[in-house]
Amino acid sequence: MKKIFVDDKRNLDEAIKSAYICVLSYKNCIMLLSIYKKVEIINLDYDLGGQETGLDILIYMKGNNIEVKEIYIHSTHLEGVRKMEKYIKANFKDVKYLYCPYSE
């Protein structure tokens, strides 16, 4: 299964070393999810530099029955983190979740 890291701004070197497929936008993430359908880990930022957010990715995943084992959030956007956590708790009850604030 695949590991996906979504962030529009951060240095992706560490994620790449950890065998993540790295994408910079909502659109690219959705394209990957529509192909793979099963993901081991998705590691999300909230603010993706456009209209769509990490929450929109979670909504897409739920609506399209994308299987995921673990969800990580690395965003510094605290209100966005709260929204994503609430959505995860309501819709991904059997999925491991971890908030890991990003630091450079």
Side-chain angles (χ1 to χ4, degrees), residues 8-95:
D8 66 318
K9 292 187 178 179
R10 291 185 176 87
N11 183 322
L12 304 175
D13 291 344
E14 287 302 314
I16 292 168
K17 288 178 189 174
S18 298
Y20 278 96
I21 299 170
C22 298
V23 294
L24 303 174
S25 69
Y26 169 86
K27 182 179 176 182
N28 289 340
C29 183
I30 297 308
M31 181 184 68
L32 282 179
L33 292 171
S34 69
I35 293 168
Y36 294 125
K37 304 285 186 194
K38 292 182 182 181
V39 180
E40 180 182 350
I41 299 169
I42 190 158
N43 194 322
L44 297 168
D45 188 15
Y46 178 78
D47 184 3
L48 301 175
Q51 228 173 325
E52 292 92 358
T53 66
L55 178 60
D56 294 306
I57 292 172
L58 292 171
I59 292 168
Y60 174 87
M61 291 174 66
K62 178 65 176 173
N64 290 275
N65 298 313
I66 305 297
E67 294 181 34
V68 62
K69 289 186 175 185
E70 300 177 31
I71 299 171
Y72 301 156
I73 297 174
H74 62 265
S75 183
T76 57
H77 188 291
L78 296 182
E79 182 59 32
V81 169
R82 283 192 281 277
K83 290 177 184 179
M84 292 170 72
E85 285 179 335
K86 182 177 178 182
Y87 192 83
I88 291 166
K89 289 175 184 173
N91 294 283
F92 293 93
K93 293 180 176 143
D94 296 327
V95 174

